[in-house]
Each structure stands twice: as C-alpha cells, then as structure tokens.
Amino acid sequence: MKKQDLKDLVKEKLSDQLLVVVSNREPVIHNYHEEEIRCIRPASGLVTALEPVVKTCSGIWVAHGSGSADRAVTDEAGRVMVTSPGDERGEEPYTLKRVWISKEEEEGYYYGFSNRSLWPLCHIVYLRPRFNADDWLNYKEVNSKFARAILDEIGSKKAFVFIQDYHFALLPRLLKGERPDLTIAQFWHIPWPNPEAFRICPFKDEILEGLLANDMLGFHLEYFCDNFMAAAKRELGAAAGKKDLSLTHRDKTTLIKAWPISVDFEQTSRLAESNRVEELKQRFTKEFNLRDKIVLFGLDRLDYTKGIIEKFEALDRFLEKYPDYLGKVVLLQKGTLSRLHIPEYKRLNDRINAVVEKLNWKYSSNGWTPAILTRRDLDYDGILALYRLADVCIVSSLHDGMNLVAKEFISARNDLGGRLILSRFAGAFNELGEEAIGINPYDIEAFADRIKEAIEVDEEEARRRMGALRKVVSSNDIYDWIGKIASDLAEIGS
C-alpha cells in the first residue's frame, strides 16, 4: 500500500476521529550536550514502524519524556512539534505529548513490573519472572498518569487511541471508564504466553480486565491470539463473541486480531541506495578490516531473548567443524546496551563480553579476529550500511514477537545480495521462513551447519531467495499494517 492510499483509507474509515498513538518510548529525545540541546532519534523498531503513520495522519504521539532536555523544549502542557529536517517526503509535523514520571515510578513501572515481571513472563526463555507489590503499584500509577494526559489532549473530540505494548495493560480500561465512546485498539508487541505460564502472575485478572476493555487487541501471530483467548476464558470466564476471534466479557466485546507488523519497505529500499550509505559501508569495511572477509552480521538490543550468546557459540562450533574458514569469516555484532539497572541484563552484558573475548583469544591470528562487538550509536544510514556490507544477517531470537531487523535487512537489499538466517522462534519466521534459512538457536550443532549453508548457497539461488523475501515484505509493509487495523476498526459495531 502506498502512503497516499493509506491517507485515503484512513480518511474513509476513521474520517473525523483524531489519531492518538501511545507508547512508553518517545520517537525523539532531547538531550543536553555541553551547551547545546540535541534531538536524537533512537533506534527502535516501534518508531520505525509507527512514525510514518502518525505523520501521514497528522496525529498525536503520547510518550514518557525521558531526555535530559525534554522539558526545556516543550510547552507548559508537555507538547512539542516533531519534524524531520531534510525529509524528502515532505511530511507534516506532528505533536509529541510528553508525560513526566518520577525516578521511583520509572524504577517500579518500567524496570520493575514491565521488565522484571511481564517481559520474562511473556518471553518463555526460562528466566523466572519477579513480582513485587510496589512495582505493581507504580505500574498502576503510571498507567493512570497516561490516561489523564490522553484525556486532556483529546478533550471532547472523537478519537481513535492506538496503544502500544505491554507497558499499558491497564490503560484501555481507565480510558473507557471516562470516555466509553472512544475507539481504542492496542497492539501487544511481544509474545503472549500459554495459559499455564500466564496464570502464575498474581495480577493476572486486572491485566486481562484492562486488555479486554479494548475494542480491538492485536498480536503478531494467531498463536498468540489463541493463547490470550484461552487465558481470558480460563481466568475470567470470558465467552466467545459472535464474530470470529472475539471475546465478550461484562457485556463488552473485544476483537482479537493477528496483525504482523512490518517496516516502511519503499523508504528503506530507497535510502539504502544513497551515496552516504555507500560511503559508510566503505568506511566500516576499512575500519573493521572486513575487506575480502565473509561478513556475518547481527543487530540486536542486548537482551537475553535475542540469542546473542548462542550466536557466538554457533560461530565457535562452526570454526571448529569447518577450519577452512579460519581467517575468512567475521561475525560483526552491533549491540545496544539496554536495561542495565536490571541485574539479569548486567550479567548478560558481562557474559557476552566474556564469550567474545574467549572466542577471539581461541582463534585470532595474523591480525584476524572472528568476532567484533560494537555498541556505538549509529544513525539509520549507519545501520543501512551495515545491512549492505553483510553477506549473511543472523537473527537468532530465542523468542520474539516479530523482529523487524529481519524485515529491514531484506528491505535494504535491493541489490538482491545477502542471505538471512532466521530463528524459528521469531514471529517473522511465520512470513519469511519459506525462503530464509531457519534455525533452532538452542541447537548449536545445527546452527553451525546453517551458517555454512548460508555462506555456500549458490549465488543465483541466493538472489532468487532474496527476491522472494522482498516480495513478501513489500506486499505487507507498514502502510498495509495500519490499513488493516483501520479497516478492522470500521467493522466494529457493524
């Protein structure tokens, strides 16, 4: 779907409703740098996916204001206009409404309940969730703060509120309690666990009640929809609605849908051909000594769900089994530090450092090291340059709702170069698995063999596969995603 097609569709389907997008992370951050204020666009699959939609619809984005200079650039109500200088598409600016929360609230709501409780609960990677009553109280309070901020922005207008992710499980019910006429949809970007796993949560009933206040609730896969419906039926006694994939609870019907999220295929493909991306590609090739090397590439937030340790272990086993590739293959892993306030993440970071150091000590020779770990901040052109220099992109998630890295890599490869190794436990495998090289990241032996397969696949076959993958992603891009949501919303009440 084209951008203009989306504008026409939204105008037709949602007509006079104001679009309000809600997320924890803000699309732009303002920080002090010496005596200046700099605007930073953090690397985020969510922002990559949703910002074009908010621009297209001239909407409002409500998010936690986390930057050191965020307050300095907003008005008294916490608003700032967001533009994209130099954007060739000439989109209109949109309003960013920042919500302020205290350090104590952030610790309990974000680092606590969201990421020590819900994140491990939903990502079944055998890390036990931790439940704390104070974290839960902070989670409830921040959800209330967001509800008040959203209602203030909307005023008496009709609005479609599109809530993002697991940080706001209680928000739909809070909004509906004040404005039952609002149209509310929520997208849960992470997996939903099976009912047996979910039932250990002490606050499960309130979470389910909150989510069932949505008019529509979306997940990446039908499997996650089935898990949620089973949990709601079991814990609350919710009944199947009159429509397929819907639940009725307390006389309120919620449509449950699978909407696999995507990326802006056309823009990514176009930007990947820019002169700056090519210049950065050449610079990185020289800086990391990658000339004449087979480059394996990974791009992950440093999270225990991403299978980063397993990726390096597979490289180790690959070099043991296939020593002819010693000195010829390099794994370049771009990692972004994340949530180091949480002990599990600090330990993971230390483990990754140790694994890389051991791997390089074991194999390095004549100026060659098999593993490079870089944590530097890169703009989008820098990320695209790394996609373009990679011979093989490895997405080794142990459990992932979708994983937009896989789709971005494909979108950037309009040269039809590159191969994709993709975990069967990433949601993206549901769409891309037929042409990607699938792996079970827990099976290190087979993982090593798949690396060899990716490297040695015939060039013509590799180009055919990439062409097929690009057709899949281009036929379901970010505009198609929001278009399906808008169409489904229009059917509510029909």
Side-chain angles (χ1 to χ4, degrees), residues 296-360:
L296 314 178
F297 175 62
L299 173 62
D300 303 279
R301 186 167 51 81
L302 296 185
D303 190 287
Y304 53 80
T305 66
K306 300 300 183 181
I308 300 171
I309 297 288
E310 289 74 10
K311 196 183 302 184
F312 286 118
E313 289 177 343
L315 175 64
D316 186 4
R317 185 65 185 125
F318 166 77
L319 293 173
E320 285 179 340
K321 291 182 73 172
Y322 308 108
D324 286 349
Y325 283 104
L326 290 170
K328 300 176 182 177
V329 171
V330 173
L331 170 55
L332 174 59
Q333 175 67 42
K334 165 71 173 73
T336 302
L337 291 173
S338 174
R339 303 170 185 166
L340 291 183
H341 291 73
I342 301 174
E344 289 81 3
Y345 285 83
K346 187 177 186 307
R347 286 195 292 269
L348 172 68
N349 183 56
D350 293 342
R351 281 189 65 204
I352 291 172
N353 288 337
V355 167
V356 171
E357 183 179 352
K358 182 179 179 181
L359 187 63
N360 285 336

Side-chain angles (χ1 to χ4, degrees), residues 281 294-297 386-394 406 408-421 435-437 453-470:
K281 175 186 170 185
I294 299 166
V295 180
L296 314 178
F297 175 62
L386 292 177
Y387 286 145
R388 295 283 287 198
L389 68 78
D391 295 294
V392 180
C393 180
I394 303 178
E408 282 190 341
F409 172 70
I410 292 165
S411 302
R413 296 311 296 253
N414 42 13
D415 60 346
L416 299 184
R419 291 87 161 165
L420 176 64
I421 294 178
E435 298 296 347
I437 297 172
E453 177 185 335
I455 291 172
E456 296 182 353
V457 66
D458 177 77
E459 184 67 26
E460 184 177 342
E461 171 63 10
R463 291 175 63 83
R464 185 201 66 77
R465 286 189 179 196
M466 183 55 68
L469 289 168
R470 285 176 60 80

Side-chain angles (χ1 to χ4, degrees), residues 106-118 130 135:
E106 184 178 6
E107 175 62 32
Y109 143 79
Y110 180 75
Y111 293 107
F113 193 74
S114 292
N115 288 305
R116 281 195 293 263
S117 302
L118 286 177
R130 302 292 177 179
D135 290 346

